[in-house]
Amino acid sequence: MNPTPAKPGGTRSPSRRTVLRGAFTAAVVTGTAGALFPLLDRDPAATARPAPAPGPGSGSRATSEEFAEMYRGREIRGTATVVPAGAPADDRVAVAAEPVTEIRIDGRPLHVMRRADGTYLSDVRHYESYPTLLETARAAVDELGNARLAPPAAHHM
């Protein structure tokens, strides 16, 4: 193979292979840096901070969803409250929070469960999940029709 011919000023131009190799290397480095930047750019102090405490006047609980309305002639009320799960083990561990939910239809409690994906399901419509408590309550009312929820069972010990 012949070497790259010299330019009139006595310098040699890089070969096509050298230019492509350099461009490929630059692309790989740029792609890797772009992929790793979010991981390396984290503020360690931000991830170690505990969850913020509820604001003044809210007591020890902070409500994230609350509603009360008449729907199809039925009174539905509901709340989703975040309750701290426990005290942190040390200054670097954030306090985990567990949501507590409650829905009442005409004053009677409707058992509601929160799924891992953040949606809700109820005992009345347990094969379908809903993004909010209000939608869960409305779906239960739709399913119940004119029927009433059974009163809560007494726990015997």
Side-chain angles (χ1 to χ4, degrees), residues 37-55:
F37 183 74
L39 298 174
L40 300 175
D41 190 44
R42 284 190 195 161
D43 180 12
T47 57
R49 273 186 226 129

Side-chain angles (χ1 to χ4, degrees), residues 124-138:
V124 175
R125 298 284 303 251
H126 56 271
Y127 291 114
E128 195 169 342
S129 60
Y130 301 91
T132 66
L133 281 177
L134 180 58
E135 290 180 43
T136 306
R138 287 176 176 170

Side-chain angles (χ1 to χ4, degrees), residues 78-126:
T79 58
T81 310
V82 177
V83 178
D90 61 21
D91 292 340
R92 296 173 299 170
V93 179
V95 176
E98 176 183 332
V100 175
T101 58
E102 179 182 46
I103 292 179
R104 291 189 173 271
I105 298 175
D106 294 331
R108 294 190 175 181
L110 171 67
H111 181 72
V112 177
M113 295 162 280
R114 186 164 181 148
R115 296 174 42 125
D117 63 359
T119 59
Y120 299 95
L121 56 96
S122 71
D123 280 349
V124 175
R125 298 284 303 251
H126 56 271

